[in-house]
Amino acid sequence: MARSFRRKSPSGPEASPAQAVGADADAGDTSADAGFTGHKRGTKDADRGFGAWLKEIATIVVIALVLSFLIKTFLFRAFFIPSGSMEETLEIDDRIFVNQLVPQPFDLQRGDIVVFRDTKDWLPPQAETQVSWFKEALIFIGLAPDESQQHLVKRVIGLPGDHVICCDAEGRITVNGEPLDEPYLFPGANPSDLPFDVVVPEGRIWVMGDHRNASADSRANTDKRGEGFVDVEDIEGKAAVIAWPLNRIGFLGNHPDVFDGVPDPETAAQPAPAGS
């Protein structure tokens, strides 16, 4: 009697067509679930990346503000120029940065441009003005000049002990008997049209503007408290940089060559009387 044989699959009983289709469907569902899970994970990663970016930016801003405040408090401070008394070295509306390490711990030098508080009433009283909270914040961190206090900016001509006279026979100012040739003067301005003969007291300086015809400096305030001298303790610092406008950015020098020949006060020969 003939027998019929049915071939078995090596892996077991032969799968029915329905089972095969069912297996394909199950595999498809698994792939869909994996894709959905990956999408959710990608969204979370993107959100986490954006949050980390915001946190990094906030940290940088905070650090920058703190550094600005520290620099303003201990190193540099911003001021603006409201008048033409220092032209052409400084022009109206220039923004400058002042090095607050001068005069302490670094010494003042003749020729330095200094900003100092008006404690001797050289300026007329200032009208009160309203300042927005935003500008107050900028002033506090040092990104805007403080206009609430009266300040002046001038060039140091005489240090404590110096004998300063205007003028010699050639119309030049002398310091401890040494005449000064001043290249920083405003074009056409005389060293001084007002004669004077002073010895600078200890702890004070004698200052003058570069635009001598338009500067109410030490010469014009000898009848006020301090007799025209500026207390060293009133000095905010030395003007170091013009920061604005962009076409005037640069460092400010003190023209050491002008004062190189000036002897120390102790060894200075007495200058001749003015006009001799």
Side-chain angles (χ1 to χ4, degrees):
M1 183 175 66
R3 294 183 180 180
S4 62
F5 295 92
R6 189 172 184 177
R7 193 173 182 178
K8 294 183 179 180
S9 171
S11 57
E14 184 177 359
S16 68
Q19 287 177 323
V21 171
D24 291 342
D26 289 342
D29 289 344
T30 302
S31 300
D33 290 343
F36 181 70
T37 302
H39 175 71
K40 290 194 295 182
R41 186 181 299 113
T43 302
K44 289 182 178 178
D45 290 343
D47 291 342
R48 190 179 300 113
F50 182 71
W53 179 80
L54 285 179
K55 183 178 180 180
E56 183 177 349
I57 293 298
T59 301
I60 292 173
V61 170
V62 170
I63 292 174
L65 293 177
V66 170
L67 287 176
S68 179
F69 173 75
L70 292 176
I71 289 172
K72 168 242 180 178
T73 303
F74 300 107
L75 297 178
F76 291 94
R77 187 175 174 186
F79 290 90
F80 84 101
I81 305 303
S83 74
S85 67
M86 283 295 295
E87 291 174 333
E88 295 178 319
T89 305
L90 297 174
E91 296 184 356
I92 296 174
D93 290 335
D94 278 354
R95 264 56 175 177
I96 62 174
F97 281 111
V98 169
N99 178 6
Q100 297 186 108
L101 297 179
V102 177
Q104 295 295 337
F106 299 113
D107 293 333
L108 281 172
Q109 302 291 330
R110 300 182 189 94
D112 285 347
I113 299 173
V114 294
V115 173
F116 55 95
R117 296 183 298 276
D118 180 26
T119 62
K120 304 295 189 295
D121 300 324
W122 288 16
L123 297 171
Q126 184 181 25
E128 292 187 5
T129 57
Q130 296 294 327
V131 180
S132 68
W133 67 267
F134 181 71
K135 186 171 183 179
E136 285 184 348
L138 293 179
I139 292 171
F140 179 76
I141 61 177
L143 296 179
D146 185 359
E147 303 170 16
S148 63
Q149 297 179 338
Q150 298 273 58
H151 291 91
L152 298 106
V153 56
K154 306 293 178 189
R155 190 180 297 274
V156 178
I157 301 299
L159 294 173
D162 283 345
H163 192 171
V164 188
I165 291 180
C166 176
C167 291
D168 67 1
E170 298 181 22
R172 298 172 298 181
I173 292 174
T174 64
V175 179
N176 301 334
E178 181 70 19
L180 306 180
D181 292 315
E182 303 177 274
Y184 43 75
L185 293 182
F186 185 83
N190 295 323
S192 180
D193 293 329
L194 181 66
F196 57 87
D197 184 337
V198 298
V199 176
V200 184
E202 189 65 29
R204 299 183 180 182
I205 58 173
W206 181 267
V207 297
M208 302 175 74
D210 289 355
H211 193 173
R212 299 285 163 81
N213 298 341
S215 178
D217 47 40
S218 288
R219 302 166 298 161
N221 293 282
T222 55
D223 59 338
K224 296 181 180 178
R225 292 184 302 115
E227 299 179 327
F229 300 106
V230 175
D231 293 337
V232 172
E233 64 184 17
D234 288 337
I235 298 174
E236 295 282 7
K238 171 186 172 181
V241 175
I242 299 175
W244 188 265
L246 294 177
N247 63 342
R248 286 183 47 76
I249 288 177
F251 293 98
L252 293 167
N254 61 358
H255 294 269
D257 53 307
V258 174
F259 302 90
D260 275 347
V262 175
D264 293 334
E266 305 80 48
T267 60
Q270 290 296 318
S276 63

